């Protein structure tokens, strides 16, 4: 008789006291009857409410639960990484604590995994409870990223996905600081498939990814996987040079035909100064972002620190 396989569900959370009890119940119910043994690792990314206390108490009652507390808020993507580093399971599922991604979809992910797929991402067919602006920006990001980055990231798929042990092992070798986990799981390759689902509205609490934070994640994704913004700077320089050449031709023609401005040269000078100055500052800032990332990566600092573990120590790599 073959040994039962294990599924580790990684739940990064930040101030989700109202959602965690229901998430736990729904996870247990969703996995009831599945052939895999369930493990749950809750990663506290600097919560200030009672979330960590609730998980710690549950970990003392249920051997399938473990609390992993980070020493401070390192960010959602780092919290996911800490969870994947902490346990050696046959497969890992990443799911947020806000219940927008329903645990009831996990059996579908497992079914696809049993077919031989090593990454199974959950693709949103609809997104309830989100503003039109966030939906528009999300849709725009996926399409821009798909064109600019040399990585085939599926449209409208978030971090909710199943990852096989082999893929998790490969991801442990990727220790870059500015992480985009959904991009990295596609970048490493392996056989990948999709499951479609309807994303629900947040059950309780406030979103931890407002528009500005989503924009930061999008920027991290683009600059981590693509040098296209730097190449765009070159083309922008070419366009500005062409524009400057056309303006010179216009001024020469105007001079030859006797056209005189109210204040000779004032309009053209101010226009050129503002245009070129703004473009130079933009390009310098963009270049600085890439240099800054090189500087941060060169320090080789650990991605996170763990201040507390509560619960049974499962096999770790």
């Amino acid at each position: 008789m073959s040994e039962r396989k294990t599924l580790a569900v990684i739940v990064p959370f930040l101030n989700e006291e109202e959602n965690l009890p229901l998430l736990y119940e729904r996870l247990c119910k969703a996995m009831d009857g599945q052939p895999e043994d369930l493990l749950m690792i809750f990663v506290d990314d600097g919560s200030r409410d009672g979330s960590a206390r609730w998980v710690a108490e549950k970990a003392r009652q249920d051997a399938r639960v473990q609390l992993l507390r980070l020493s401070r808020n390192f960010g959602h993507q780092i919290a996911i990484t800490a969870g994947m580093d902490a346990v050696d399971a046959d497969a890992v599922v990443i799911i947020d604590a806000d219940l927008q991604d329903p645990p009831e979809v996990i059996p579908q992910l497992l079914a696809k995994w049993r077919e031989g797929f090593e990454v199974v991402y959950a693709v949103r067919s609809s997104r309830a409870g989100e503003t039109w602006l966030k939906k528009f920006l999300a849709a725009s990001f996926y399409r821009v990223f798909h064109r600019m980055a040399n990585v085939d990231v599926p449209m409208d798929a978030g971090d909710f996905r199943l990852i096989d042990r082999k893929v998790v092992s490969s991801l442990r070798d990727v220790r870059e600081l500015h992480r985009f986990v959904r991009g990295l799981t596609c970048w490493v390759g392996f056989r990948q498939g999709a499951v479609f689902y309807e994303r629900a509205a947040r059950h309780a609490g406030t979103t931890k990814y407002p528009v500005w934070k989503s924009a930061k994640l999008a920027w991290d994704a683009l600059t981590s996987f693509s040098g296209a913004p730097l190449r765009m700077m070159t083309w922008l320089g070419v366009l500005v040079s062409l524009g400057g050449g056309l303006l010179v031709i216009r001024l020469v023609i105007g001079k030859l035909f006797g056209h005189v401005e109210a204040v000779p040269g004032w309009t053209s000078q101010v226009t050129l100064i503002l245009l070129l100055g703004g473009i130079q500052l933009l390009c310098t800032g963009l270049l600085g972002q890439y240099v800054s990332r090189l500087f941060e990566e060169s320090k080789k600092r650990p991605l996170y620190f763990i201040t507390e573990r509560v619960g049974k120590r499962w096999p770790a790599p």
Side-chain angles (χ1 to χ4, degrees), residues 29-46:
K29 186 174 181 181
M31 287 299 296
D32 188 29
Q34 297 296 318
E36 291 80 16
D37 289 328
L38 173 65
L39 307 174
M40 291 170 277
I41 180 161
F42 292 83
V43 185
D44 177 21
D45 192 27

Side-chain angles (χ1 to χ4, degrees), residues 32-98:
D32 188 29
Q34 297 296 318
E36 291 80 16
D37 289 328
L38 173 65
L39 307 174
M40 291 170 277
I41 180 161
F42 292 83
V43 185
D44 177 21
D45 192 27
S47 296
R48 292 183 174 85
D49 62 358
S51 303
R53 288 193 300 273
W54 184 89
V55 177
E57 182 61 29
K58 184 58 66 175
R60 296 183 184 100
Q61 300 170 3
D62 188 342
R64 300 174 298 174
V65 176
Q66 184 180 127
L67 169 65
L68 192 69
R69 295 191 69 181
L70 303 186
S71 59
R72 65 171 177 83
N73 178 257
F74 285 91
H76 182 256
Q77 303 295 295
I78 298 295
I80 292 173
T81 302
M84 288 194 292
D85 290 344
V87 65
D88 185 25
D90 293 290
V92 162
V93 165
I94 302 166
I95 188 170
D96 289 339
D98 55 15

Side-chain angles (χ1 to χ4, degrees), residues 198-275:
E198 295 182 1
R199 196 172 199 230
R202 166 177 274 274
H203 174 259
T206 58
T207 179
K208 306 306 183 294
Y209 263 99
V211 172
W212 69 268
K213 201 167 184 179
S214 298
K216 182 181 181 300
L217 178 63
W219 177 252
D220 284 343
L222 286 173
T223 52
S224 295
F225 284 90
S226 175
L230 292 175
R231 293 190 292 272
M232 289 169 62
M233 287 168 51
T234 302
W235 287 108
L236 185 59
V238 171
L239 290 175
V240 171
S241 299
L242 289 174
L246 293 174
L247 182 58
V248 168
I249 294 173
R250 173 189 173 278
L251 294 174
V252 169
I253 293 175
K255 187 71 172 177
L256 291 175
F257 286 91
H259 174 72
V260 180
E261 298 180 38
V263 180
W266 184 87
T267 303
S268 58
Q269 287 182 19
V270 171
T271 301
L272 286 173
I273 290 172
L274 292 176
L275 179 63

Side-chain angles (χ1 to χ4, degrees), residues 22-23 26-28 30-31 95 99 101-107 160:
L22 182 56
L23 173 64
R26 290 174 62 179
L27 275 173
C28 294
M31 287 299 296
I95 188 170
L99 292 171
D101 299 325
E104 292 77 14
V105 176
I106 292 178
F160 184 29

Side-chain angles (χ1 to χ4, degrees), residues 7 18 46 83 90 103 146 156 197 226 240 264 272 280-281:
L7 172 72
E18 297 175 274
D90 293 290
H146 190 73
D156 304 313
Y197 75 106
S226 175
V240 171
L272 286 173
Q280 287 172 350
L281 289 173

